[in-house]
Amino acid sequence: MTAEGLAVPPPFLRVNTAANRASTVAKQTTTTTVQQEPRECDTHVNANSGKKRSQGSVFRTVEPDVKDVTKNGVDPDCSGHRRLRLHLDYCCSPRSLISVQHMDNYCFIQGDVCDQRLVSHLFNTEDIDVVFHLAAMTHVETSYLCPSLFQRVNVEGTRVVLAAARGAGHALRRFVYVSTDEVYGGGGLQVFDEDSPLRPSNPYSATKAAAECLVQSYWDEYKFPVIVTRSNNVYGPRQYPEKVIPRFVSLLQANKKCTIQGSSPKSRHFLYVDDVIEAFLLVLAQGVVGGVYNMGVGHEVPILQLARELVTMIQDVPETQLSDWLDFVPDRPRLELRYPISSEKLRGLGWRPRVPWTEGLRRTVEWYKSNPDFWPGESEDRGNGTGIITSDS
């Protein structure tokens, strides 16, 4: 997905490879993506290398041994390198990159974000000046089943990228770590600002909070130019159908009921992906290094209301039949009712969400209607068949 008409000066390309976080318009920079299997991991680095690239896309698979690099695409020097095929995680699709793969200043590198040799190699061979670090496993229910994997990717992966970035032979301008509102824990009636204490309540959010501590330590100890963002639920086209909105959409498109966890009145704040991009650009341009910025909206949507809205939009049934499309299933071990945050600090820089809830939901539903086969087979139940609610959805 591309955000157009962005007024903030520093341009960069943000490539989406997991759960639809989005991409911005590319100008004069190169983006490198480091990927690991199996997980949601999409660390993005911005490189002003000035190197002349061939026309068309470049797809490079990087082996743990950085001496062997495979470039799939138009680069002429791919012969002679041994090929190693690393699979993207289930929630990633190269089809998300079609809109940017023709750009001269775009490069996708597939590898393991926890591979210190590889990541260091990239920082020392590319003139990277900006990093947007979004590498994370985000599926909350899975974090209860295999917390060690979340710790490896979310915490150790962050440590590897931080160390490689700081050890590069040139100074970075910014290192933006993308976190989540879940680090605050459930809010009840309390609204969290950036100075609120962190009280993560599940293994996923605990690893994100731990990674934040690592990031902050690099500012405290080395004055490394880090910035942390904490956002509401992100939604929009191309998102993998384990997150609540695309999950409900895919179920309804398959004439199945929306599965709602528990009976308590859960609600979430949903932030459209284009507004997230504008927030990233603004933080890059005007954010204070060492600072934290909440990214959220004031409009709160009960999950039951979300399901009813989607039933109306997709199944077009009268209000008296809406309940026929709802299926209440058991709750997960712990599910916070709401995560309310204040974004006044970011608004002080001039940011405002531009896409209203009804318009963002309409755009999202229309995209899934027009692309029913983008995620093959995902109308079938995955895991326990519930609409998963996580802060990174």
Side-chain angles (χ1 to χ4, degrees), residues 133 154 158 175-179 207-208 211-212 215 227-229:
H133 179 41
N154 298 0
T158 299
F175 185 107
V176 181
Y177 178 73
V178 179
S179 190
T207 60
K208 295 294 284 187
E212 279 196 32
V215 173
I227 295 177
V228 174
T229 66

Side-chain angles (χ1 to χ4, degrees), residues 3-309:
E4 299 178 352
L6 300 179
V8 182
F12 71 100
L13 171 64
R14 184 190 178 302
V15 177
N16 170 21
T17 59
N20 182 56
R21 286 192 176 95
S23 61
T24 64
V25 178
K27 300 285 185 181
Q28 316 243 333
T29 60
T30 301
T31 296
T32 304
T33 301
V34 179
Q35 193 93 3
Q36 176 203 7
E37 176 204 7
R39 55 174 178 69
E40 296 176 3
C41 182
D42 55 331
T43 293
H44 308 275
V45 294
N46 173 59
N48 288 321
S49 63
K51 299 176 183 177
K52 177 68 174 178
R53 296 191 182 276
S54 305
Q55 292 291 329
S57 64
V58 179
F59 188 106
R60 290 192 283 173
T61 300
V62 186
E63 302 185 28
D65 182 355
V66 297
K67 296 179 181 179
D68 293 319
V69 178
T70 299
K71 299 182 180 181
N72 295 329
V74 297
D75 270 17
D77 60 345
C78 62
S79 60
H81 287 295
R82 182 166 51 89
R83 290 177 181 267
L84 174 67
R85 297 197 177 275
L86 300 176
H87 297 291
L88 295 177
D89 199 5
Y90 65 88
C91 60
C92 308
S93 172
R95 298 171 66 184
S96 297
L97 307 174
I98 291 175
S99 64
V100 297
Q101 65 182 7
H102 65 284
M103 296 180 178
D104 295 343
N105 55 353
Y106 159 72
C107 180
F108 174 79
I109 296 179
Q110 183 175 336
D112 184 349
V113 74
C114 296
D115 185 338
Q116 189 164 335
R117 290 186 63 200
L118 163 61
V119 179
S120 296
H121 172 76
L122 295 178
F123 275 99
N124 285 303
T125 56
E126 300 284 347
D127 187 17
I128 298 163
D129 66 345
V130 169
V131 176
F132 279 82
H133 179 41
L134 302 102
M137 296 192 69
T138 66
H139 196 288
V140 175
E141 291 192 15
T142 304
S143 75
Y144 284 100
L145 300 175
C146 48
S148 60
L149 181 57
F150 277 66
Q151 181 176 351
R152 178 180 185 270
V153 175
N154 298 0
V155 182
E156 175 63 8
T158 299
R159 185 201 65 78
V160 167
V161 178
L162 278 168
R166 180 175 173 268
H170 58 278
L172 265 71
R173 186 158 57 93
R174 290 292 184 273
F175 185 107
V176 181
Y177 178 73
V178 179
S179 190
T180 166
D181 58 2
E182 287 203 32
V183 296
Y184 295 118
L189 298 178
Q190 181 182 3
V191 176
F192 300 112
D193 62 22
E194 290 83 355
D195 294 324
S196 297
L198 305 187
R199 296 190 178 97
S201 58
N202 59 65
Y204 156 64
S205 57
T207 60
K208 295 294 284 187
E212 279 196 32
C213 291
L214 278 175
V215 173
Q216 190 62 43
S217 72
Y218 269 65
W219 166 250
D220 294 338
E221 182 69 21
Y222 309 115
K223 298 306 175 188
F224 192 65
V226 301
I227 295 177
V228 174
T229 66
R230 299 170 183 156
S231 74
N232 285 152
N233 291 49
V234 180
Y235 76 103
R238 299 181 180 86
Q239 191 171 35
Y240 186 77
E242 72 183 359
K243 306 300 184 181
V244 63
I245 292 178
R247 178 63 180 169
F248 284 174
V249 171
S250 64
L251 287 171
L252 291 169
Q253 286 180 323
N255 291 316
K256 297 181 179 181
K257 297 181 180 182
C258 295
T259 50
I260 300 175
Q261 292 175 317
S263 57
S264 53
K266 294 173 286 293
S267 62
R268 293 293 183 267
H269 299 77
F270 292 98
L271 186 59
Y272 192 66
V273 64
D274 285 6
D275 289 326
V276 177
I277 293 169
E278 294 209 14
F280 283 157
L281 286 170
L282 185 59
V283 167
L284 174 62
Q286 300 182 31
V288 177
V289 293
V292 179
Y293 292 88
N294 285 346
M295 296 164 41
V297 294
H299 183 63
E300 190 167 2
V301 182
I303 299 303
L304 185 58
Q305 174 189 322
L306 167 65
R308 293 170 70 91
E309 287 186 49

Side-chain angles (χ1 to χ4, degrees), residues 355-372:
V355 182
W357 164 248
T358 54
E359 173 62 16
L361 192 62
R362 183 196 65 79
R363 293 184 194 178
T364 302
V365 171
E366 287 302 315
W367 186 88
Y368 282 97
K369 284 183 177 179
S370 301
N371 299 271

Side-chain angles (χ1 to χ4, degrees), residues 335-373:
L335 184 60
E336 302 292 355
L337 298 183
R338 56 197 300 264
Y339 295 98
I341 60 174
S342 168
S343 301
E344 291 306 310
K345 186 175 178 180
L346 184 60
R347 288 173 179 265
L349 299 181
W351 178 81
R352 298 290 186 278
R354 299 184 182 184
V355 182
W357 164 248
T358 54
E359 173 62 16
L361 192 62
R362 183 196 65 79
R363 293 184 194 178
T364 302
V365 171
E366 287 302 315
W367 186 88
Y368 282 97
K369 284 183 177 179
S370 301
N371 299 271
D373 299 322

